[in-house]
């Protein structure tokens, strides 16, 4: 839209009269030249007088061509105009140096008995009134504004207006809001949008207020503090310490139960600005936990029990709920070794302290021997190591088969045939560790199965160093060698001189799972105190995309990769090239604890992103408003291929209510299969109340047998989101106005805006025409020119 007034164009209604009019002007010019030739006037005076008389003659001559003023104006009643008012609770804020809160000011602007500008608009437009909060609603007038809406879906409401009037003559949208949208209003598609004219409500923001703008949760494999919670806090009008707390919510306790304080920090606020708090916490249990993050002026924690005593603008934005999912577990790790060794001893001991990591061992205690070889006794076909055991085992433990010991298996059938031979059996594990075992132990199909385990199933794979690992184990031309992060061909034969010292690389310092201490100084001291190592598997080079997390240095300054990791397909692979990490477990007690922590963090990292057969994810669903939650379930079969024809039900229950209330409020939602992605099921849930919610997906196969379950959690804080920022978002409103051809309208200029709008360009206009010559002003102008010329001559005393 062009904001300036359209000026009319001057046209000629009698084109044939242009020549006579021109002749009259030329004749008048000739007479003027002839009349002034004998005067005693100075040249300047002669020019002024001649110009005045010629203008008068030209004005009279113009009447001969009958000029017309032609222009366009709004056709009354042919165009629509929308008025959109914010009805959210975020409008109930009183700004500094303001007599009334924003909602009362808006109610006064829109009161029908006081807004003459609305009547001015109705003279030319079909005015349509709407109010919005979490959704758009038509309004007969604005007397029904309650300002109780839990969200400000500004972008969705504007998009609805655009869609409703698509193909219709909508002249513009007058938008009353503070611009603090709870949806992605700045990223909506404005194609086909009419001009938007925002009226910004609010000025400087409140005089005193503390708000949590954002809460982010980051999880790592760092054992001491695996969860990092970052809170961005906005403080207005405070020059004192601001306290931020993290409190743990008991899911089974009622809402009014006391919450456990986990961490607390203080920062000094200076007037108005942003503060950033970073907490590192360790959940007491696995699975899903809920934490409340709240901020307040130091020493005012009692205001949450007595909200009326607060001096803040609102307490609705002082707290947020964060959900943390530490995984359900237990994660099953298959450890396969070519011989009993110290590494397994310390690995098993360390993982026993983590109830979410379940280590299953398959250890060879005797190699297989040639099939045709002299036996210990005539007619004896079984291995002498098993002499004296039950007869049923004698045929299974033959000379031409390795002797394997199974540890911590689920039942007597697990791994009874040795290393898994089918995908259904191997894919039941989350990670595989191979230690000091040559590639000839596996069949060609098992090697391919291991590669599929990582690339397709998304499992983790770790190879430990030893005399039968990596190049020494002949893995360089196998599927396992292809997925390792190091090249195993053409390995140099020279050995590092002397003992080796372990240190982290720059990339290793950035990996929380590779560190054991909270500060860099403490971690360097720990590494310096480690014993020296003697066994190293050398490699030719590191593969592109792999990351070296740790290196081993010899006494000549040579550096060799010690810990290398990379992504492979959907999973992860890692190579520990040192073969005697266990020596640190023989040192003092602190180093034994550090070795255990190293193994737990490494294995946690290895299985962190391994998918389960059933996975449930939650995310805001934009097409139904900011409060709607999309529940997405992925179901896989035993070979981890997408599984169709499953029956999926999602139960949703609120957290922090009494048991009877929870049972009453549990909602069961059937999930529908996606039409675009196999094995993908969708459902949606719209929470009616604020708080934390826990969802569980239960999947059944065609026969009705349960496939698996998955949990997910989220929090709904509509008030906190609505009051996240109390300062008007003028930048967003200016962006909306500029991108649609509108402009910001001041509240005091609504009358002028309503008066000027009919003279601006709108979809449907009408043409108007009026004579420019049939006016007294034309003749008065000519007469004024003649009188001025005569008066000038008389004043100079000329004839």
């Amino acid at each position: 839209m062009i904001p300036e007034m359209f000026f009319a164009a001057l046209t000629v209604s009698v084109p044939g009269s242009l020549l006579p009019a021109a002749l009259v002007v030329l004749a008048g010019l000739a007479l003027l030249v002839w009349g002034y030739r004998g005067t005693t006037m100075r040249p300047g005076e002669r020019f002024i007088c001649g110009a005045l008389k010629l203008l008068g003659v030209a004005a009279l001559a113009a009447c001969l061509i009958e000029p017309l003023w032609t222009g366009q104006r709004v056709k009354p009643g042919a165009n629509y105009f929308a008025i959109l008012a914010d009805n959210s609770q975020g409008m109930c804020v009183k700004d500094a140096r303001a007599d009334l809160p924003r909602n009362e000011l808006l109610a006064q602007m829109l009161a029908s008995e006081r807004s003459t500008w609305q009547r001015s608009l109705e003279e030319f437009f079909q005015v349509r009134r709407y109010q919005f909060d979490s959704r758009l609603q038509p309004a007969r007038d604005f007397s029904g504004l309650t300002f109780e809406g839990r969200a400000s879906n500004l972008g969705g409401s504007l998009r609805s207006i655009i869609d409703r009037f698509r193909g219709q003559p909508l002249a513009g949208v007058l938008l009353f809001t503070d611009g603090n949208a709870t949806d992605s209003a700045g990223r909506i598609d404005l194609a086909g949008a009419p001009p938007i004219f925002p009226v910004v409500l609010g000025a400087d923001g409140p005089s005193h207020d503390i708000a949590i703008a954002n809460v982010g949760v980051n999880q790592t494999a760092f054992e001491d503090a695996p969860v990092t919670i970052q809170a961005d806090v906005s403080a207005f009008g405070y020059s004192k310490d601001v306290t931020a707390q993290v409190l743990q919510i008991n899911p089974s306790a009622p809402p009014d139960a006391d919450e456990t304080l986990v961490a607390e920090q203080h920062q000094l606020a200076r007037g108005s600005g942003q503060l950033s708090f970073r907490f590192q916490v360790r959940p007491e249990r696995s699975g899903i936990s809920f934490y409340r993050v709240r901020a307040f002026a130091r020493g005012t924690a009692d205001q949450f029990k007595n909200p009326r005593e607060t001096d803040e603008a609102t307490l609705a934005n002082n707290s947020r709920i964060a959900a943390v999912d530490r995984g359900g577990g237990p994660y099953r790790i298959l450890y396969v070794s070519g011989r009993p060794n110290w590494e397994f001893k310390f690995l098993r001991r360390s993982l026993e302290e983590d109830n979410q990591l379940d280590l299953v061992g398959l250890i060879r205690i005797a190699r297989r021997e040639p099939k045709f070889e002299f036996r210990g006794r005539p007619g004896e076909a079984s291995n002498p190591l098993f002499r004296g055991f039950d007869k049923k085992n004698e045929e299974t433990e033959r000379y031409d088969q390795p002797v394997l010991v199974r540890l911590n298996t689920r039942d007597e059938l697990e791994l009874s045939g040795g290393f898994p031979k089918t995908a259904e059996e191997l894919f039941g594990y989350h990670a595989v560790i191979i230690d000091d075992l040559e590639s000839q132990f596996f069949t060609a199909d098992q090697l391919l199965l291991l590669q599929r385990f990582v690339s397709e199933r998304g499992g983790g794979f770790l190879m430990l160093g030893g005399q039968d690992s990596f190049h020494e184990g002949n893995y360089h031309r196998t599927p396992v060698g292809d997925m390792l992060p190091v090249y195993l061909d053409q390995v140099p034969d020279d050995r590092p001189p002397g003992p080796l010292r372990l240190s982290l690389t720059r990339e290793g310092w950035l990996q929380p799972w590779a560190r054991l201490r909270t500060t860099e100084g403490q971690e360097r001291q720990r590494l310096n105190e480690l014993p020296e190592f003697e066994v190293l598997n050398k490699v030719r080079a590191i593969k592109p995309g792999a990351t070296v997390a740790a290196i081993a240095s010899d006494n000549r300054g040579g550096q060799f990769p010690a810990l290398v990791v990379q992504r492979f397909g959907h999973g992860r692979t890692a190579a520990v090239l040192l073969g005697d990490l266990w020596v640190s477990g023989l040192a003092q007690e602190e180093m034994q604890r550090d070795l255990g922590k190293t193994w737990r963090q490494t294995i946690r990292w290895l299985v962190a992103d391994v998918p389960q057969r059933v996975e449930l994810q939650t995310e805001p669903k934009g097409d139904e408003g900011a409060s709607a939650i999309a529940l997405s379930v992925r179901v896989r079969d035993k070979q981890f291929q997408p599984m169709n024809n499953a029956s999926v039900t999602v139960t949703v229950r609120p957290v922090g209510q009494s048991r009877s209330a929870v049972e009453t409020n549990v909602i069961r939602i059937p999930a529908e299969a996606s039409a675009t992605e196999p094995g993908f099921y969708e459902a949606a849930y719209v929470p009616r109340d604020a708080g934390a919610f826990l969802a569980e997906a239960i999947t059944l196969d065609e026969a009705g047998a349960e496939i698996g379950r998955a949990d997910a959690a989220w929090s709904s804080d509509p008030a906190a989101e609505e009051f996240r920022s109390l300062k008007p978002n003028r930048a967003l409103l200016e962006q909306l106005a500029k991108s649609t051809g509108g402009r910001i309208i001041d509240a005091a200029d609504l009358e002028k805006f309503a008066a000027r709008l009919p003279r601006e360009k709108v979809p449907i206009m009408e043409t108007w025409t009026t004579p420019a010559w049939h006016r007294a002003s034309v003749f008065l102008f000519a007469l004024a020119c003649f009188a001025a010329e005569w008066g000038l001559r008389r004043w100079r005393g000329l004839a």
Side-chain angles (χ1 to χ4, degrees):
M1 170 172 279
I2 302 176
E4 294 82 8
M5 172 183 175
F6 271 91
F7 292 96
L10 189 64
T11 60
V12 177
S13 60
V14 186
S17 61
L18 286 174
L19 181 59
L23 293 175
V24 170
V25 174
L26 291 175
L29 179 60
L31 290 174
L32 287 173
V33 173
W34 181 80
Y36 283 110
R37 65 177 181 173
T39 63
T40 59
M41 301 173 63
R42 288 180 292 183
E45 296 172 342
R46 188 183 304 172
F47 175 80
I48 294 175
C49 291
L52 288 171
K53 188 171 288 187
L54 183 62
L55 283 174
V57 173
L60 295 176
C63 295
L64 298 176
I65 62 176
E66 299 184 9
L68 301 176
W69 287 112
T70 302
Q72 287 187 322
R73 61 190 174 193
V74 175
K75 185 176 182 179
N79 298 277
Y80 293 96
F81 193 85
I83 302 176
L84 188 59
D86 192 341
N87 190 42
S88 65
Q89 58 185 344
M91 299 293 294
C92 302
V93 174
K94 185 177 179 180
D95 295 287
R97 298 182 295 276
D99 297 330
L100 296 174
R102 298 171 188 173
N103 59 330
E104 294 186 18
L105 292 174
L106 178 57
Q108 291 182 2
M109 293 180 197
L110 300 178
S112 57
E113 67 274 6
R114 301 183 60 179
S115 57
T116 57
W117 57 270
Q118 293 191 54
R119 292 192 289 271
S120 299
L121 290 176
E122 290 174 340
E123 293 180 5
F124 293 92
F125 301 95
Q126 297 185 49
V127 178
R128 297 292 184 265
R129 297 172 175 84
Y130 298 90
Q131 64 188 43
F132 74 95
D133 39 58
S134 58
R135 60 190 180 93
L136 182 70
Q137 297 178 341
R140 186 174 182 180
D141 53 34
F142 293 108
S143 60
L145 291 175
T146 61
F147 303 102
E148 296 177 353
R150 299 185 305 158
S152 296
N153 291 338
L154 175 58
S157 300
L158 290 176
R159 188 69 256 174
S160 297
I161 291 286
I162 296 171
D163 294 339
R164 288 190 183 192
F165 288 92
R166 190 176 300 278
Q168 301 185 55
L170 181 61
V173 177
L174 189 61
L175 174 63
F176 292 87
T177 181
D178 58 4
N180 291 322
T182 55
D183 61 356
S184 55
R187 298 191 298 271
I188 66 168
D189 182 13
L190 293 175
I196 298 176
F197 302 95
V199 179
V200 185
L201 298 170
D204 302 329
S207 56
H208 293 87
D209 188 69
I210 294 176
I212 297 181
N214 292 293
V215 173
V217 177
N218 182 34
Q219 300 188 57
T220 68
F222 194 66
E223 187 175 76
D224 292 337
V227 177
T228 300
I229 300 177
Q230 181 165 337
D232 297 327
V233 178
S234 302
F236 294 94
Y238 283 97
S239 295
K240 60 172 66 174
D241 282 347
V242 173
T243 300
Q245 294 179 337
V246 176
L247 302 101
Q248 186 169 10
I249 301 174
N250 186 352
S252 59
D256 56 351
D258 291 336
E259 299 167 347
T260 304
L261 179 63
V262 176
E264 181 178 279
Q265 293 182 11
H266 309 279
Q267 289 190 35
L268 178 62
R270 300 182 183 276
S272 299
Q274 293 282 338
L275 303 175
S276 181
F277 294 87
R278 184 182 179 90
F279 301 93
Q280 291 184 329
V281 300
R282 181 180 183 179
E284 295 180 354
R285 60 186 184 90
S286 60
I288 296 174
S289 303
F290 295 94
Y291 294 90
R292 184 184 306 278
V293 183
R294 69 181 185 183
F296 51 92
R298 190 168 188 174
T300 62
D302 293 339
Q303 65 183 341
F304 295 104
K305 297 181 180 179
N306 301 299
R308 295 183 179 180
E309 298 180 1
T310 181
D311 64 343
E312 295 190 35
T314 179
L315 292 180
N317 57 1
N318 287 65
S319 66
R320 291 251 183 148
I321 298 177
V324 176
D325 187 359
R326 291 295 295 160
Y331 299 99
R332 309 197 77 228
I333 299 97
L334 175 58
Y335 174 90
V336 187
S337 176
R339 59 180 55 85
N341 56 35
W342 288 92
E343 211 72 79
F344 177 71
K345 171 187 176 180
F346 291 106
L347 175 61
R348 182 181 182 183
R349 180 186 298 174
S350 64
L351 297 191
E352 285 177 349
E353 299 181 16
D354 193 332
N355 57 6
Q356 294 302 305
L357 300 177
D358 189 5
L359 184 66
V360 179
L362 184 64
I363 302 175
R364 183 182 64 188
I365 61 175
R367 293 175 180 265
R368 62 183 176 184
E369 301 176 10
K371 185 172 183 179
F372 301 101
E373 188 174 316
F374 176 76
R375 306 302 178 186
R377 293 178 180 176
E380 185 178 46
S382 62
N383 196 309
L385 288 173
F386 283 82
R387 187 180 300 155
F389 288 86
D390 294 338
K391 296 293 184 181
K392 61 182 179 181
N393 292 329
E394 292 183 359
E395 293 299 320
T396 59
E397 306 295 346
R398 300 175 58 89
Y399 271 90
D400 60 337
Q401 294 179 344
V403 179
L404 303 174
V405 174
R406 298 176 295 143
L407 300 172
N408 197 31
T409 54
R410 183 185 292 113
D411 51 44
E412 62 180 8
L413 297 178
E414 184 179 9
L415 300 177
S416 60
F419 189 82
K421 300 178 178 61
T422 63
E424 290 84 353
E425 188 179 0
L426 181 61
F427 287 8
Y429 298 96
H430 296 85
V432 174
I433 301 175
I434 293 180
D435 183 13
D436 207 359
L437 183 64
E438 71 281 356
S439 64
Q440 288 78 9
F441 174 82
F442 305 97
T443 65
D445 291 339
Q446 287 174 327
L447 293 173
L448 284 172
L449 189 61
L450 271 171
Q451 190 182 77
R452 286 184 53 202
F453 171 79
V454 179
S455 62
E456 298 179 13
R457 189 256 188 268
F461 179 81
L462 171 64
M463 180 173 285
L464 303 181
Q467 63 181 3
D468 287 329
S469 299
F470 300 105
H471 177 76
E472 288 76 6
N474 295 319
Y475 284 98
H476 55 282
R477 291 185 179 179
T478 67
V480 170
D482 293 340
M483 69 179 179
L484 285 173
V486 293
Y487 289 110
L488 303 180
D489 57 330
Q490 302 177 7
V491 174
D493 295 332
D494 58 312
R495 297 175 59 83
L500 300 169
R501 306 293 304 183
L502 185 67
S503 61
L504 295 178
T505 63
R506 179 179 179 275
E507 291 77 9
W509 283 105
L510 298 177
Q511 301 294 332
W513 61 270
R515 307 190 309 266
L516 301 187
R517 300 291 188 265
T518 56
T519 65
E520 181 179 353
Q522 293 174 344
E523 183 67 15
R524 290 189 184 277
Q525 181 180 356
R526 182 191 72 84
L527 292 172
N528 292 333
E529 293 175 354
L530 284 176
E532 297 176 335
F533 302 99
E534 300 288 344
V535 181
L536 176 70
N537 291 83
K538 297 187 65 174
V539 295
R540 176 171 66 87
I542 305 302
K543 290 183 179 179
T547 300
V548 179
I551 58 175
S553 305
D554 60 23
N555 53 17
R556 294 183 181 177
Q559 294 183 342
F560 308 91
L563 174 59
V564 189
V565 299
Q566 76 168 6
R567 298 288 305 188
F568 185 82
H570 293 97
R572 291 173 172 173
T573 62
V576 177
L577 299 166
L578 285 175
D580 55 347
L581 285 176
W582 53 269
V583 299
S584 61
L586 301 178
Q588 61 263 36
E589 184 178 352
E590 184 178 1
M591 286 190 182
Q592 294 180 12
R593 290 195 300 267
D594 288 344
L595 180 60
K597 185 185 295 186
T598 297
W599 281 125
R600 286 190 294 272
Q601 291 187 177
T602 302
I603 302 304
R604 274 281 188 176
W605 167 83
L606 196 63
V607 301
D609 297 329
V610 176
Q612 306 285 351
R613 287 191 60 187
V614 180
E615 292 184 321
L616 172 61
Q617 293 181 341
T618 63
E619 60 181 354
K621 192 172 183 180
D623 58 352
E624 293 188 16
S627 60
I629 300 297
L631 304 170
S632 305
V633 184
R634 282 183 169 82
V635 184
R636 303 176 178 89
D637 59 17
K638 292 183 178 180
Q639 296 193 22
F640 274 75
Q641 298 300 315
M643 185 174 183
N644 297 317
N645 302 323
S647 176
V648 181
T649 303
V650 181
T651 62
V652 180
R653 66 178 181 88
V655 174
Q657 298 187 7
S658 62
R659 184 173 298 276
S660 59
V662 168
E663 294 298 328
T664 304
N665 294 336
V666 169
I667 298 176
R668 292 172 174 82
I669 309 171
E672 301 293 334
S674 172
T676 59
E677 182 179 348
F680 187 70
Y681 301 82
E682 300 172 297
Y685 175 75
V686 180
R688 301 301 179 187
D689 300 310
F693 296 85
L694 184 64
E696 182 182 33
I698 305 172
T699 59
L700 307 175
D701 60 15
E702 293 178 327
E706 183 173 317
I707 300 172
R709 301 190 178 201
D711 295 332
W714 75 93
S715 63
S716 176
D717 293 319
E721 187 69 23
E722 176 66 19
F723 289 97
R724 177 179 56 180
S725 175
L726 302 185
K727 187 176 181 180
N729 193 348
R730 189 178 184 90
L732 172 62
L733 298 179
E734 288 178 345
Q735 175 191 343
L736 294 175
K738 183 178 180 181
S739 58
T740 58
R743 62 184 182 275
I744 298 289
I745 304 298
D746 190 86
D749 295 333
L750 284 173
E751 297 287 349
K752 296 180 181 178
F753 169 75
R756 290 185 59 185
L757 191 62
R759 299 194 296 271
E760 298 183 355
K761 187 176 181 180
V762 296
I764 298 180
M765 309 281 289
E766 64 178 4
T767 303
W768 58 270
T769 303
T770 185
W773 63 275
H774 197 265
R775 296 172 179 269
S777 58
V778 176
F779 297 98
L780 291 175
F781 174 75
L783 182 60
C785 290
F786 295 145
E789 187 270 345
W790 178 81
L792 181 59
R793 287 191 294 109
R794 295 293 297 173
W795 177 62
R796 299 295 296 171
L798 303 174

